[in-house]
Amino acid sequence: MTSAVAALIVAAGRGLRAGADAPKQYRRLGGVPVLCRTLTPFLAESRIGTVLVVIGAGDSARFDEAIGHLPETARMRLATPVEGGETRQDSVRAGLEALAAAGFAGSVLVHDAARPFVSPALIERAMTASAEHVAAIPALAVTDTVKRTDTTGLIAETLPREQLISVQTPQAFAFQPLLAAHRDAHAAETGGFTDDSAIMEWAGHRVATFAGDPVNLKLTYAEDFELAEQRVTRPLVTRTGTGYDVHAFAEGDHVWLGGIRIAHSRGVTAHSDGDVALHALTDAVLGALADGDIGSHFPPSDPQWRGASSDRFLAFAAERVRQRGGRIDHLDLTVVCEGPKVGPHREAIRARIAEIAGLRLDQVGAKATTSERLGFTGRGEGLAALATATIRLPEPE
Ligand code: MG
């Protein structure tokens, strides 16, 4: 059963620390309001049924101006905004109450408007986590050494880093428990929570974590805006990568091609699931990034990749592009084999590749050919795939 998912975007803060005349969620990055950038990936996720923004008192004109930058189809998906309160906690509660009043049940992703670099993949991870946990939050390992200071500013203690994480949004919750926790905290006049998972902890729930995204920066200080501005305005350069992969046929009754299981009189010899299409595509993307190859990131000697479903390899490569501030424009695939027949599966393969890489269908080409009974593919000893990836990356500084 799939349950409903809502996204609650908290945009009620005044954002004074960022040092401008407008609250930071309405400032522009590369000419586009921060709020608009934040909303775009949530509005593009068809499994999110409701996208509700909590705005500050008196900000409705700013809100209308900001969402004017969205395409009409996206704008039509937005719920009527709700006015927030004094604190972030009050604002989230106002949003939850509005969802409750509309009869919402399901899970809710709570996200700060000041994180405009939230990626489709991170939203996907939050949605997956929300199906499995009452509360789950994106977490990153802490790489800096963390110390505690005393009241004079001198170091009091060096904290053990292994158990420390830093957390982000979107945070994912079962709706009813989160609403109940917020209502209870409000009734108990317990405030000062800086995120919703802290309220769930206070209410006695266990909070799970999933992988955060280092690119998912929170814009807080003026310097953050400078960095973000550089990120969105740096010119992109087009790069092309190629990939090639072969697997030998072996005993078996199916092969994997482009993430689709295809019944066949043979299987393949492989450490993973032996999906030549996804392996070639992964290498093409990594090639365009000049970032090693599938073997360097997923060594065959590492037992954890034994029998692995190859979709994770391509998803990893696509995420590396996003982490570099780039985008994939196009993936093209050619499968070479005498059998199985690929044609009947071509559209399913294109759709699956698009899904794994976070692309539209028209950004994925897939073709198949035989090799006229010549060579190892012609003799039916195995199958091969060639791939090309066209990506854009920010120009190096
Ligand atoms: Mg391979």
Side-chain angles (χ1 to χ4, degrees), residues 220-235:
T220 306
Y221 301 104
E223 308 86 86
D224 300 335
F225 272 86
E226 284 166 29
L227 272 176
E229 189 70 34
Q230 283 171 19
R231 185 185 291 176
V232 300
T233 55
R234 264 162 80 188

Side-chain angles (χ1 to χ4, degrees), residues 245-247 270 272 274-276 279-280 294:
D245 194 41
V246 169
H247 282 278
S272 65
D275 189 325
V276 285
H279 295 181
I294 193 170

Side-chain angles (χ1 to χ4, degrees), residues 253-268:
D253 61 2
H254 70 278
V255 297
W256 285 93
L257 269 181
I260 301 294
R261 189 185 197 274
I262 298 176
H264 189 50
S265 54
R266 315 293 311 274
V268 296

Side-chain angles (χ1 to χ4, degrees), residues 122-149:
L122 182 61
I123 293 171
E124 168 99 44
R125 291 202 287 279
M127 291 176 58
T128 302
S130 77
E132 293 165 6
H133 303 282
V134 171
I137 58 178
L140 291 174
V142 172
T143 51
D144 292 327
T145 296
V146 182
K147 297 178 188 269
R148 193 173 60 76
T149 54

